[in-house]
Amino acid sequence: MKIITAIAALGLLSAISFGSSAAQLVNNQQAENLQPIGTISVSGIDGVPSDIRQQLSQKADSAGASSYRVIEARNEGNYHATAEIYK
């Protein structure tokens, strides 16, 4: 029983730590005070804006960024978004 409790606690802690490390969406004014480190893009067949933001956030995290700013977004049957990432 202690093992199940420990596994549940670790799962909860990892979910909390993942949420706290997610790259944050920033606007143009907020980005002025940040150091750019590159760009990322995501695209796909289906998606709503929240799905696109989630994918951008995950990709920014993978690149070591703490925040990102969307610089291009379109949906012409397929969505595509490009973001500048920041430290």
Side-chain angles (χ1 to χ4, degrees), residues 5-73:
T5 305
I7 291 171
L10 287 174
L12 180 60
L13 289 174
S14 66
I16 291 170
S17 66
F18 173 76
S20 66
S21 68
Q24 300 294 310
L25 176 64
V26 295
N27 62 32
N28 291 344
Q29 186 177 15
Q30 294 166 321
E32 290 176 359
N33 300 320
L34 301 173
Q35 177 185 359
I37 59 171
T39 59
I40 56 171
S41 63
V42 296
S43 57
I45 297 171
D46 293 321
V48 294
S50 61
D51 294 339
I52 297 167
R53 286 191 301 269
Q54 178 66 29
Q55 287 185 13
L56 284 169
S57 179
Q58 289 174 350
K59 202 162 190 180
D61 282 345
S62 297
S66 61
S67 52
Y68 66 96
R69 178 179 61 95
V70 176
I71 56 176
E72 174 196 24

